[in-house]
């Protein structure tokens, strides 16, 4: 099935909003075995919308239209579809009732201009939109399908999942494509590429390597007639990759390091505390992004001054001797915060992120310490990157180091 | 000048990457008075690229092409432009030398397939690319301009700014559009809309209102022949808006609250410390996103357990009496951390972000305290939003409250 996306909205052409709907839909279609050939963006201009729709109707089996379903004069998608197909728009009694009820339930009188949101053409069915006032259209004629969805991403995505997908599935015949991502940390992109090179020539499943902020992703992609046929291909390639990459693989697909670490802490019934300087609170904030993290995270110190370090149990003599950015002080920070907040494990992070060097240490110098029962480690890192990226990388490194130690605890 | 963007790449159609180049370029064109009419995305298929380019060449004055300039067989943009214009690609000696030097400087032998990156057609000039191996093409013929740039955003943006823009400017004749954004906090979207309603009917400058994560943005847009003509229109509308919105306006354009607050602290020579529970470190992390923040930020406590609160000077009896999520404990947190880290100002943030209620207090309850010289305030907030959004909103609220107090200090 040959598909095309048409995205309607002058605000996209003015660069005021980014069209995330097209990339969302583009990511959905391979899973259905639908080939996407074109994406077009057009402004709120009836002639140009009709021109784009006519071309799409002439060359594609499935046309996904987003945007332009609002109540204002600028919203011209319905009118343009009707004109493209030579059909007439009429107010649908059921839609009108739904729309009036929608406004009544919010104690508003419905502005009359909203009435055009209750229209249909003979080839169209309405697609309900519980998140807004714009129902979509499902148009089927001449062996073609056109689905028109609202522009706000939350409304569009719900309509896609609950209205368009179920109508589309029974009409599909092609192959489906599934993918699975193995997330790695601690290896460079070229190293992962080299390690996985025996697998890279495989075409189904195939494997691709991508550098991402949380490490190197190996994405396995496979296709076939059904999910049942494709899953084993993914499983087999995942097993082969894991045999090669070993403990560097920390997660799959949407998993995050903070969730992986949180689960390990819960399973081992261990609590955690952090003292961080250069990451400035990002480590604690990342850990507490996980709902329920208060079960294992006791708290943290953002020791952005030496005063904050010594007030929380780091020996001032140690800072004098080795400097705040040192192996020794990182270790002392981990131990001090562990003791201070009665946690089982302490993490200490200290470093120089610039703009200037500190204590003669170059920008990018970072020490990460983990003080866990029966084991203390300090890891040196060189993270000479722009400030926010370096904060993120140091946070990821700290979580990855903690994970390694938790795994070794068996 | 009528413009069109053509974005080339199968990985965009597969949803593997989002096309941020088109929205970047779309945002640049209004500033030049160039009207963008169409954006098209097409895969790495020569027939389809040529079809899209022929249509663009037929209807647009300026065609911006991104992607497809790599060395592989899938990279077909050069070949497609040549075919569209009926011209022949030839290796350019100067480009070839540059490319071979590029590889030599990295101690690599140049793979022969890279040679196609050194080709030109008679109507094309090369656009240098210091960030990669793909030079762009500037094509000028038949009163039309086509600029072909590489797909990686860092390479594309540099080439746009340093190579395409300077060639484009002398050819521009149209009006330019400039905009300025006033960022507000503490008022709802509808309230801002109502307050600014006397200004909303103005068309040049015009004003639009948008809800964003850091508050409500009022964007002023104006057009005219030159920057000198447009700037005063923006200035005048900004002044009118500020007279209405007053202290709710906290920043302009790219300013962030953390930078605004940091500048106020530096100007007043005051230092800051934070104790936060529900924001989990995000407040400290946001403050330390600013380079040089160590000049005024002493540090923070992430008091994710009562233990972490009492270990840092919050009276346990207060927690017993009022609960950890209370006006009283927020105030005690601000005072305790201010004392503990010898700062001039302390901020305390405590709240319930769920998933469960706490101490019988509903999810979304947040108290923000600021303890400043001569003035202490506690602000109650209701932030019943998804976890990460609520953390972000509470952080924004705390910074905004701090700003208000710093401003009052005169």
């Amino acid at each position: 099935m040959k598909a095309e996306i048409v995205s309607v909205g002058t605000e996209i052409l003015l660069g005021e909003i980014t069209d995330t709907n097209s990339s969302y839909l583009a990511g959905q279609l391979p899973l259905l075995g639908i080939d996407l050939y074109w994406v077009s963006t057009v402004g709120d201009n009836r002639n140009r919308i009709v021109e784009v729709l006519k071309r799409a109707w002439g060359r594609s089996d499935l046309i996904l239209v987003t945007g332009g379903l609002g109540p204002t004069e600028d919203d011209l998608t319905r009118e343009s579809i009707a004109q493209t197909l030579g059909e007439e728009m009429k107010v649908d009694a059921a839609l009108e009732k739904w729309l009036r009820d929608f406004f009544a339930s919010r104690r508003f009188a419905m502005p009359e201009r909203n009435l055009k949101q209750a229209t249909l053409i003979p080839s169209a069915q309405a697609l309900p939109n519980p998140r807004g006032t714009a129902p979509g259209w499902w148009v089927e004629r001449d062996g073609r399908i056109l689905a028109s969805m609202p522009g706000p991403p939350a409304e569009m995505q719900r309509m896609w999942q609950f209205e368009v997908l179920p109508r589309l599935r029974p009409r599909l015949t092609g192959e489906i494509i599934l993918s699975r991502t193995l997330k790695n940390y601690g290896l460079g992109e070229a190293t992962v590429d080299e390690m996985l090179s025996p697998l890279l020539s495989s075409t189904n499943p195939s494997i691709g390597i991508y550098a991402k902020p949380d490490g190197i992703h190996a994405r396995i992609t496979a296709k076939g007639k059904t999910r049942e046929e494709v899953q084993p291909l993914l499983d087999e390639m995942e097993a082969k990759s894991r045999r090669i990459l070993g403990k560097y693989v920390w997660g799959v697909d949407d998993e995050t390091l903070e969730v992986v670490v949180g689960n390990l802490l819960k399973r081992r019934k261990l609590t955690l505390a952090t003292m961080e300087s250069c990451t400035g609170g990002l480590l604690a904030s990342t850990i507490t992004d996980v709902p329920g993290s208060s079960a294992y995270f006791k708290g943290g110190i953002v020791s952005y001054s030496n005063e904050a370090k010594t007030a929380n149990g780091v020996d001032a003599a140690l800072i004098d001797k080795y400097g705040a950015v040192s192996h020794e002080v990182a270790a002392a920070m981990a131990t001090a915060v562990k003791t201070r907040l009665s946690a089982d494990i302490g993490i200490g992070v200290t470093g120089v992120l610039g703009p200037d060097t500190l204590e003669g240490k170059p920008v990018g110098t970072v020490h990460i310490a983990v003080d866990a029962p029966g084991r203390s480690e300090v890891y040196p890192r060189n993270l000479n990157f722009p400030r926010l990226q370096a904060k993120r990388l140091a946070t990821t490194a700290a979580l990855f180091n903690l994970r390694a130690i938790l795994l070794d605890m068996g």
Side-chain angles (χ1 to χ4, degrees), chain A:
Chain A
M1 187 182 266
K2 206 186 277 188
E4 173 155 7
I5 294 173
V6 177
S7 192
V8 180
T10 297
E11 66 274 36
I12 302 170
L13 294 182
L14 287 172
E16 293 178 0
I17 59 172
T18 300
D19 175 22
T20 56
N21 289 336
S22 293
S23 53
Y24 172 83
L25 291 172
Q28 294 281 308
L29 298 176
L31 313 177
L32 304 167
I34 298 175
D35 295 314
L36 178 65
Y37 279 59
W38 299 276
V39 178
S40 306
T41 307
V42 63
D44 301 314
N45 172 292
R46 186 150 160 183
N47 287 340
R48 287 196 287 276
I49 302 173
V50 170
E51 188 212 330
V52 168
L53 288 178
K54 281 196 169 152
R55 188 176 313 118
W57 193 260
R59 68 186 178 186
S60 299
D61 308 307
L62 171 66
I63 303 153
L64 301 172
V65 186
T66 60
L69 296 183
T72 77
E73 281 176 20
D74 282 349
D75 293 298
L76 294 165
T77 298
R78 283 184 205 82
E79 290 81 347
S80 304
I81 297 172
Q83 185 179 335
T84 301
L85 300 183
E87 298 191 17
E88 202 186 332
M89 286 165 69
K90 283 197 184 133
V91 171
D92 179 82
L95 276 182
E96 181 181 351
K97 180 178 181 318
W98 169 81
L99 201 59
R100 291 197 183 276
D101 288 351
F102 180 96
F103 277 93
S105 73
R106 283 156 181 78
R107 296 171 193 284
F108 280 112
M110 185 183 91
E112 281 313 298
R113 65 179 184 190
N114 277 77
L115 198 59
K116 77 172 188 173
Q117 297 188 303
T119 54
L120 284 178
I121 52 173
S123 301
Q125 291 171 26
L127 299 174
N129 177 4
R131 294 187 180 168
T133 63
W137 279 8
W138 172 269
V139 180
E140 216 168 342
R141 213 185 78 182
D142 313 336
R144 308 233 174 298
I145 295 167
L146 182 153
S148 172
M149 295 172 276
E155 298 180 31
M156 192 282 294
Q157 290 180 20
R158 195 205 174 276
M159 193 174 286
W160 167 257
Q161 280 168 24
F162 292 92
E163 304 297 337
V164 178
L165 257 189
R167 286 171 174 82
L168 211 46
R169 280 199 197 281
R171 292 163 175 85
L172 299 177
T173 51
E175 291 193 312
I176 61 164
I177 301 180
L178 297 181
S179 72
R180 187 174 300 163
T181 299
L182 302 184
K183 298 178 167 179
N184 301 276
Y185 190 84
L187 296 170
E189 187 177 5
T191 311
V192 173
D193 194 87
E194 208 180 306
M195 290 169 78
L196 293 182
S197 63
L199 307 179
L200 293 178
S201 56
S202 167
T203 53
N204 189 31
S206 67
I207 190 161
I209 294 156
Y210 306 89
K212 299 280 174 176
D214 58 357
I216 306 300
H217 292 188
R219 185 165 58 198
I220 306 164
T221 306
K223 53 186 166 184
K225 284 279 168 212
T226 61
R227 194 167 277 270
E228 290 65 35
E229 186 186 319
V230 177
Q231 292 282 13
L233 297 176
L234 295 180
D235 293 343
E236 196 190 337
M237 186 60 102
E238 176 178 351
K240 284 182 190 167
S241 305
R242 281 185 182 271
R243 273 198 292 277
I244 294 171
L245 297 167
K247 65 180 180 179
Y248 294 101
V249 180
W250 60 259
V252 176
D253 291 339
D254 292 336
E255 278 186 308
T256 62
L257 257 175
E258 53 272 23
V259 165
V260 167
V261 163
N263 288 338
L264 284 169
L265 287 167
K266 277 192 283 189
R267 201 177 311 149
R268 292 177 177 23
K269 298 195 185 356
L270 294 171
T271 58
L272 178 67
T274 56
M275 192 182 311
E276 52 188 313
S277 60
C278 62
T279 44
L282 186 61
L283 175 58
S285 184
T286 304
I287 292 167
T288 62
D289 279 349
V290 181
S293 47
S294 60
Y296 51 82
F297 185 60
K298 293 274 211 161
I301 314 280
V302 183
S303 52
Y304 226 57
S305 55
N306 286 342
E307 211 158 354
K309 292 185 187 69
T310 54
N312 285 289
V314 176
D315 187 354
L318 216 53
I319 299 177
D320 285 346
K321 185 164 176 194
Y322 299 103
V325 178
S326 60
H327 178 106
E328 291 76 9
V329 168
M333 288 165 70
T335 305
V337 76
K338 166 182 163 164
T339 309
R340 185 152 197 94
L341 300 185
S342 319
D344 300 309
I345 302 176
I347 299 184
V349 182
T350 179
V352 197
L353 298 193
D356 306 314
T357 58
L358 190 71
E359 305 167 345
K361 285 136 190 167
V363 173
T365 309
V366 176
H367 297 271
I368 296 167
V370 182
D371 182 351
R375 179 150 169 216
S376 294
E377 300 277 355
V378 183
Y379 307 84
R381 297 268 173 191
N382 183 339
L383 305 173
N384 189 4
F385 292 94
R387 188 177 188 83
L388 302 196
Q389 199 183 340
K391 281 178 71 173
R392 173 58 59 201
L393 288 170
T395 297
T396 302
L399 290 172
F400 185 76
N401 292 335
L402 173 58
R403 169 183 169 274
I405 288 182
L406 288 169
L407 281 181
D408 283 351
M409 288 178 164

